[in-house]
Amino acid sequence: MNALSKEVAEVTRKTGAPATTLPALEAWVAEVAALTQPDAIHWCDGSDEENEALIAKMLTDGTLLKLNERTHPGSYLHRSHPDDVARVEHLTFVCSRNRDDAGPNNPWMAPDEAHAKMDALFDGCMRGRTMYVIPYCMGPIDSPLARCGVEITDSPYVVANMRIMTRMGAAALARIEREGTERAARGERTDTFVKGLHSTGELDPNRRFIMHFPEALTIKSYGSGYGGNALLGKKCHALRIASWQAREEGWLAEHMLIVGIENPKGETRYIAAAFPSACGKTNLAMLIPPEGYRRDGWKVWTVGDDICWMRPGADGRLYAINPEAGFFGVAPGTSSKSNPNALATIQRNTIFTNVALTADGQPWWEGLDDRVPAFDWRGNAYDSSNGPAAHPNARFTVSARQCPSWTPAAENPQGVPISAIVFGGRRASLVPLVFQARDWRHGVLVGAAMGSETTAAATGQVGVMRRDPMAMKPFCGYNFADYFAHWLSFDRPGMKLPPIFHVNWFRKGADGRFLWPGFGENLRVLEWILDRAEGRAGAVETPIGHLPRADDLNLDGLDLDGAALQTLLTFDRDGWRAEFDSLGAYLDEFGARMPQALKDEHGRVVSALGG
Ligand code: OXD
Ligand code: MN
């Protein structure tokens, strides 16, 4: 017996592992245990009893605080390390064999170097800790579009969050084992589940990295316990690794919400919409129709608020699933005005992270109401001179099924058909309220051209305009040039692709105030979008696409200043010329790999804009 297998045998003796029939999984868990040296291994089954035991442990050691049981039953507060409050894009690497495959859009490290760096960090890091093995499924457990993974972590907080955010536990393990056994019978490799290894380490920002090895379907994350850095099913698997897999297999893994709009005739049509982090995807996915629309019988159904996996169906349409089972939403700004459905969703069985606390133990954040909290997100007595009470990236983790607008269509294994794709950024100027791309190719350019002001979802400066193509800048697991080529490849005979639109809810007037009321009123724009998709609503053609005139939108009952409306619907030729100059320079950064079709499309719009 060599040293490694001796250590594995020792861990197995101590803990009772292995707990799987799939040799490839058993071997990987044993290998990780030998490296990280945990005191115990716990295979998560996802049961209520398991969750209760974990919660009890976290209440005892202070990882969780119980919130007011009367107002927020079954809910808890977690305060993260103050240096660990957001995704860390500069420490997030794509470690493809070939550097160009990661592209200029991703920090890159050679796989051998990255493994060596990470394994040195993981060496012995779980001594004194329990290692949790979390089998999970992204997507409905019986969906052919769903994919499985296993996250190994030493954080019970991660386990509790993964249980809400994914289909975690026994059913996922059974699927992983079944798929492995079927592959073995065909003589194929059996470790096709995504392997995610995570440790909170010492929470030292100088010893923090999130590494992706897309060719090996592997993720290694060390030194953070926060959100997308640690809940590996979300950004790491369902976007970075999945986008790579999707390209190989002919589908799309996108940073998009999925929302169903039911009209008074009872017809529901689904929209997939990409917005950067903290730009209102959760609000749009749970929109409450304005009063007049409600009276007429309009309804809105939530399928997903962050990630969308889409695949062409036999009829050539795109069908989408939400790979997630819960919401990891931004709390600040969530209120009975901005998102009553989200507020109703998080009244129970919710894990809050880095929110403030009222004197009677209720969660609180800026924008919720006019109460004054007693404690800030760090747990200090609240003092407004210390900054916001809740961290701007404070979050709630909650099951999607608790949302009043949740639809059982989210469980449809075949996914929902997509009638329109929407891109949108946070743009204070230039970009109109809504426009429609001429065709798919132009739509891909519109997505590639997306720009947005940065938010608190990632560490770094907030409010800086940056290019964020298709809201995937932090999440595309490969070269953007290849990603655009992949999008373009869907434009082929037999496909019935949805039309593509761009929206901007964040346009500001000279006084710095938002011109468009947003929230529920956004349904007016979605109605125009869906009518356009069915060839009904009017528009005026411009070089940047088709814009509605005021008369083309249903503005009944909306109190909107005429000048504001004019600004929102105006196409500013000079401003767009400058925008397209900068877009051209951006596309050139990708060199010869950028698809000629996209460059030609850019050239076509530039000539339409005139010199
Ligand atoms: C998220 C993000 O957590 O985009 O969804 O940061
Ligand atoms: Mn997101």
Side-chain angles (χ1 to χ4, degrees):
M1 212 187 248
N2 64 24
L4 186 77
S5 13
K6 248 202 226 138
E7 287 177 32
V8 173
E10 175 60 10
V11 172
T12 308
R13 189 188 58 70
K14 267 203 267 182
T15 63
T20 175
T21 58
L22 188 64
L25 176 54
E26 183 190 329
W28 176 59
V29 171
E31 189 190 308
V32 169
L35 175 66
T36 59
Q37 297 284 310
D39 274 13
I41 302 179
H42 178 101
W43 286 72
C44 299
D45 61 14
S47 63
D48 290 346
E49 299 72 43
E50 176 181 82
N51 189 50
E52 279 154 23
L54 278 174
I55 300 278
K57 173 177 154 59
M58 287 190 279
L59 286 171
T60 307
D61 70 16
T63 304
L64 293 183
L65 296 176
K66 179 125 188 65
L67 292 173
N68 187 318
E69 182 62 19
R70 186 181 50 79
T71 58
H72 291 77
S75 299
Y76 303 92
L77 166 65
H78 172 67
R79 294 191 180 118
S80 77
H81 189 287
D83 286 333
D84 183 31
V85 291
R87 287 184 291 97
V88 282
E89 295 178 7
H90 58 297
L91 303 175
T92 300
F93 289 71
V94 169
C95 309
S96 49
R97 283 195 287 269
N98 176 348
R99 178 179 204 140
D100 287 343
D101 290 342
N105 44 302
N106 280 303
W108 175 85
M109 199 179 286
D112 286 351
E113 189 188 341
H115 279 302
K117 192 178 193 65
M118 296 308 280
D119 291 352
L121 293 171
F122 279 113
D123 192 357
C125 74
M126 295 190 192
R127 270 192 207 108
R129 302 183 185 181
T130 296
M131 178 174 116
Y132 299 93
V133 182
I134 312 172
Y136 64 87
C137 180
M138 301 309 294
I141 200 94
D142 53 349
S143 170
L145 283 74
R147 291 298 154 93
C148 291
V150 178
E151 173 166 356
I152 296 179
T153 181
D154 53 10
S155 161
Y157 165 80
V158 165
V159 179
N161 277 268
M162 285 290 283
R163 180 169 183 270
I164 297 173
M165 295 304 297
T166 72
R167 280 89 170 165
M168 176 265 251
L173 180 60
R175 177 169 168 160
I176 292 168
E177 289 173 342
R178 192 187 64 244
E179 287 176 351
T181 311
E182 285 165 7
R183 282 200 191 89
R186 293 196 299 268
E188 295 165 10
R189 56 183 293 186
T190 59
D191 59 345
T192 50
F193 56 91
V194 169
K195 300 187 194 72
L197 172 54
H198 168 254
S199 171
T200 50
E202 311 81 20
L203 297 175
D204 173 357
N206 296 315
R207 285 163 58 83
R208 180 175 296 161
F209 292 99
I210 295 106
M211 303 279 190
H212 302 75
F213 306 86
E215 285 127 332
L217 300 181
T218 294
I219 304 153
K220 291 186 176 176
S221 165
Y222 188 89
S224 165
Y226 206 90
N229 300 335
L231 315 179
L232 302 185
K234 192 174 181 60
K235 304 299 183 182
C236 300
H237 177 164
L239 288 175
R240 298 193 191 96
I241 299 283
S243 60
W244 180 291
Q245 273 185 308
R247 173 170 173 247
E248 285 179 338
E249 298 171 10
W251 48 286
L252 292 163
E254 301 300 327
H255 193 203
M256 292 178 172
L257 66 95
I258 309 167
V259 66
I261 310 291
E262 183 178 332
N263 66 22
K265 286 189 265 173
E267 299 157 343
T268 303
R269 288 165 295 169
Y270 296 92
I271 294 175
F275 297 84
S277 307
C279 287
K281 282 197 296 302
T282 307
N283 293 347
L284 192 64
M286 299 177 190
L287 175 154
I288 303 260
E291 171 60 29
Y293 277 79
R294 281 209 299 281
R295 222 182 19 243
D296 292 346
W298 290 81
K299 296 194 180 99
V300 171
W301 300 109
T302 308
V303 178
D305 80 329
D306 195 43
I307 303 182
C308 163
W309 287 357
M310 280 185 285
R311 181 189 283 275
D315 59 1
R317 300 185 71 186
L318 292 179
Y319 286 79
I321 61 164
N322 170 15
E324 300 190 281
F327 307 125
F328 181 66
V330 178
T334 305
S335 70
S336 55
K337 176 171 181 290
S338 67
N339 194 337
N341 276 330
L343 211 54
T345 309
I346 58 181
Q347 292 310 304
R348 62 197 157 93
N349 306 333
T350 303
I351 300 174
F352 293 90
T353 302
N354 290 347
V355 297
L357 213 51
T358 63
D360 63 345
Q362 297 189 44
W364 190 91
W365 49 83
E366 276 69 18
L368 176 62
D369 53 36
D370 51 18
R371 285 175 299 168
V372 177
F375 299 99
D376 68 15
W377 64 277
R378 293 182 184 86
N380 297 326
Y382 174 60
D383 175 345
S384 59
S385 63
N386 292 338
H391 187 276
N393 192 35
R395 299 282 182 142
F396 52 78
T397 318
V398 67
S399 165
R401 284 171 179 267
Q402 285 188 196
C403 181
S405 55
W406 181 83
T407 166
E411 289 294 336
N412 184 339
Q414 304 309 322
V416 296
I418 296 300
S419 296
I421 288 177
V422 176
F423 294 122
R426 194 181 271 274
R427 295 291 298 261
S429 60
L430 183 68
V431 182
L433 178 63
V434 57
F435 60 93
Q436 179 183 5
R438 288 156 49 101
D439 53 21
W440 185 262
R441 187 162 95 154
H442 180 217
V444 174
L445 183 71
V446 168
M450 262 173 69
S452 196
E453 293 156 23
T454 50
T455 67
T459 50
Q461 221 185 327
V462 169
V464 181
M465 217 318 266
R466 71 163 179 183
R467 295 254 161 238
D468 191 353
M470 296 168 176
M472 286 287 277
K473 165 75 188 78
F475 309 122
C476 182
Y478 62 102
N479 192 319
F480 259 150
D482 301 341
Y483 172 74
F484 301 143
H486 180 48
W487 265 81
L488 291 169
S489 75
F490 285 82
D491 193 4
R492 54 181 187 254
M495 292 295 294
K496 293 204 192 80
L497 293 167
I500 296 179
F501 297 81
H502 190 284
V503 300
N504 179 22
W505 315 135
F506 299 96
R507 186 80 180 258
K508 287 184 178 163
D511 59 1
R513 289 157 65 134
F514 291 116
L515 293 178
W516 177 250
F519 306 118
E521 307 298 344
N522 292 338
L523 184 56
R524 300 174 189 277
V525 175
L526 299 187
E527 184 188 7
W528 180 79
I529 285 175
L530 288 168
D531 282 352
R532 288 293 296 173
E534 291 182 359
R536 283 205 301 269
V540 53
E541 188 168 357
T542 77
I544 60 159
H546 301 267
L547 268 73
R549 293 155 296 215
D551 286 353
D552 296 319
L553 293 170
N554 176 359
L555 300 174
D556 288 354
L558 180 68
D559 182 16
L560 188 65
D561 176 51
L565 187 61
Q566 172 74 17
T567 309
L568 285 164
L569 301 182
T570 300
F571 150 69
D572 162 8
R573 187 177 293 269
D574 289 341
W576 279 100
R577 269 195 208 120
E579 178 78 7
F580 266 74
D581 281 352
S582 104
L583 174 61
Y586 175 69
L587 298 180
D588 284 347
E589 285 173 23
F590 294 82
R593 221 152 152 145
M594 185 53 68
Q596 190 57 40
L598 207 63
K599 289 201 242 174
D600 291 349
E601 188 60 23
H602 174 260
R604 189 193 61 71
V605 179
V606 169
S607 21
L609 285 166

